[in-house]
Amino acid sequence: MKKWLENGWLTEHRASSQEIKELLGVTDRDLKECQVEGLSPDWQLAIAYNAALQVAVAALAVSGYRASRESHHFRAIQSLKHTIKLDSASVDLFDSFRKKRNIGGYERAGTVSEQEAKEMVALAQKLRIDIEKWLQLKHPELFKE
């Protein structure tokens, strides 16, 4: 990620335990909200996507970085390969949902299937669990009161 820093894609950042708790709180809220009955698949995917993005941002923050404004979501997702060593297939799946979310949020309604929304929810739930485990292992100081 030092190359990303040199390229200006990241800035150095010092995360606080409060920041990480708040990001995990947003993740938990969104994981709950994305499962409210009656949501369209577009919204379900968008909310679950945001949940997953927040834990990716938390992992990046405790690693000492923040994604620069341009392509912030893309960089946060790609950074998962370096922070928690997420496999490429999962990163690619997450990135494909980023593209779907952009289309559904800004261009056209009804482009997300129920299956895709369910897959995004499952991915967000898995990332929430995996990243908290990683945080507890690599940064236990964040969980001390």
Side-chain angles (χ1 to χ4, degrees):
M1 290 200 289
K2 290 193 185 276
K3 279 278 187 205
W4 291 17
L5 186 64
E6 291 171 10
N7 291 337
W9 299 342
L10 300 175
T11 57
E12 291 184 285
H13 180 71
R14 186 180 173 120
S16 70
S17 60
Q18 182 65 32
E19 174 188 9
I20 300 308
K21 285 179 188 170
E22 289 174 1
L23 287 168
L24 294 176
V26 172
T27 299
D28 291 342
R29 177 205 63 200
D30 288 352
L31 281 174
K32 183 178 175 185
E33 294 291 325
C34 73
Q35 298 179 69
V36 169
E37 285 196 34
L39 288 177
S40 70
D42 286 352
W43 274 119
Q44 189 177 24
L45 182 136
I47 298 168
Y49 169 87
N50 193 60
L53 182 65
Q54 298 314 308
V55 286
V57 168
L60 187 59
V62 298
S63 298
Y65 302 103
R66 177 178 282 161
S68 61
R69 192 125 181 97
E70 184 177 331
S71 302
H72 169 262
H73 291 201
F74 176 76
R75 302 272 183 248
I77 293 167
Q78 296 300 318
S79 73
L80 290 167
K81 292 178 192 172
H82 306 285
T83 54
I84 67 163
K85 311 295 184 210
L86 186 65
D87 64 275
S88 293
S90 296
V91 170
D92 291 347
L93 179 64
F94 192 178
D95 195 51
S96 72
F97 290 137
R98 177 185 64 82
K99 294 171 186 169
K100 275 278 186 180
R101 174 207 163 259
N102 288 347
I103 293 169
Y106 303 113
E107 297 175 17
R108 212 171 35 245
T111 60
V112 176
S113 71
E114 288 184 20
Q115 182 60 36
E116 289 169 324
K118 286 179 184 173
E119 289 176 18
M120 184 65 242
V121 171
L123 178 60
Q125 290 170 329
K126 179 183 181 321
L127 285 172
R128 172 64 172 92
I129 293 167
D130 290 352
I131 290 175
E132 183 164 352
K133 285 181 185 173
W134 177 81
L135 288 169
Q136 289 177 351
L137 181 67
K138 301 286 186 180
H139 303 278
E141 71 280 3
L142 294 171
F143 297 93
K144 293 180 180 170
E145 292 292 322

